[in-house]
Amino acid sequence: MKSLSITGVVKSFGAVPVLSGVDLEVPGGSFIAILGPSGSGKTTLLRIIAGFERPDAGEVRLGGRVVDDAGRLFVPSERRRIGYVPQEGALFPHLSVGRNVAFGLPRADRRRGRVMELLEMVGLADQARRYPHQLSGGQQQRVALARALASDPYIVLLDEPFSSLDASLRAAVRAEVHDVLCQSGTTSILVTHDQDEALSMADRVAVLRGGVIAQINTPAGIYGLPNDPELALFFGEANLTDGVAAGDSVTTALGVLDVASPSGGAGRGGPEGRVSVMVRPEQLRLGAVDSSTIACVVRSYEYFGHDAVVRVQPDNGSLPELVVRVRGGTPLTPGMRVGVSASGPVVVWPLADGVADGGEKKPE
């Protein structure tokens, strides 16, 4: 296993900037997800790591060795020992499963049973003689992963590998792929636009935004402690409101709440004065309307089996519509009156002078 270090990587296509100074450290043996919307440069960054593209500036190091300095020094992709799993698997249709995995392996490795060892690892030892068109989409992706691992790579790169799978297959296949990669101990980098994929598979998640890494943290850290409101909304639902922070608490229209510390628990962790406050849907509770709750009217109820999402409109005009996540059960019908209460710790960010929630300038 090898570590990867990316420093100041810049890339443009013509007059269109794609990467604007990416810095990223990937420890050996770890699993990093690079998350961003379509067009954010995720695949371009992956192709630079693989050696399929060259940066305009910056440096890429693999195991401490420079493989691209955007100048004269360049190690071609075939000499980097990097496994690559593209979106569609890209298996050779005229080759059997076994020969697809063996493609590029020295003859000695084929004779030593390396192919069957890899197919056993991905649970397809009984499919070696079949052809790609005879396999399901999930099986094809596992064959592509086995082929990527065949040369014992330092790093495996996965480029949106589950995007073409049916929703019913996606969760199962990504769990299988995750298990295989953990078993192999190979350093792994996944690029995806799917937050669930990133949060469920990776040790750490790096968000690519505006051509740079906007934040990198553990899945729990990046969901619970996003760097700004935009990132909060990118990772699931979030209720944003104004407040006034002082010490370890913040006063809001939802009441006085504890402020999250940098470690994620309650404690000293935020700015003083006027702030924007994030309350996740699961931090809100529904109950009776009384002196301890905010009176609201139910707008909608979405049932997902294991839980449900309820949207409510507070009577209090200082609060926007709120999103509440509850256990799935008896539906709440639109028009019902409910009480809402909140619990901390909550994340806060300073509000710029003269700017209210939503980025609108306050009237003078």
Side-chain angles (χ1 to χ4, degrees), residues 290-345:
D290 58 31
S291 60
S292 65
T293 62
I294 304 297
C296 301
V297 175
V298 173
R299 293 299 188 201
S300 66
Y301 179 91
E302 298 172 87
Y303 180 67
F304 297 103
H306 48 79
D307 64 8
V309 171
V310 187
R311 297 181 187 274
V312 299
Q313 180 62 57
D315 291 352
N316 183 338
S318 62
L319 280 170
E321 182 180 87
L322 299 173
V323 182
V324 186
R325 190 177 299 279
V326 298
R327 291 182 62 183
T330 304
L332 300 176
T333 57
M336 287 182 63
R337 295 189 61 74
V338 294
V340 174
S341 59
S343 60

Side-chain angles (χ1 to χ4, degrees), residues 49 53 57 70 83 85 93 115 122-123 129 153 171 222 234 239 249 278 299 313 324 334-335 346 362:
I49 295 169
E53 297 276 359
V85 181
V115 171
V122 299
R129 295 183 181 277
I222 209 160
F234 185 63
N239 298 291
S249 64
M278 179 192 79
R299 293 299 188 201
Q313 180 62 57
V324 186
V346 295
K362 293 169 67 180

Side-chain angles (χ1 to χ4, degrees), residues 17-57:
V18 178
L19 304 175
S20 305
V22 172
D23 297 311
L24 181 65
E25 297 290 333
V26 182
S30 64
F31 194 133
I32 297 285
I34 300 173
L35 181 65
S38 298
S40 61
K42 306 182 300 297
T43 295
T44 297
L45 180 58
L46 209 67
R47 289 177 61 81
I48 287 172
I49 295 169
F52 303 152
E53 297 276 359
R54 298 207 62 188
D56 301 327

Side-chain angles (χ1 to χ4, degrees), residues 273-292:
R274 293 186 64 245
V275 292
S276 181
V277 183
M278 179 192 79
V279 183
R280 289 291 188 191
E282 57 269 22
Q283 291 181 278
L284 296 178
R285 298 288 181 270
L286 298 182
V289 178
D290 58 31
S291 60
S292 65

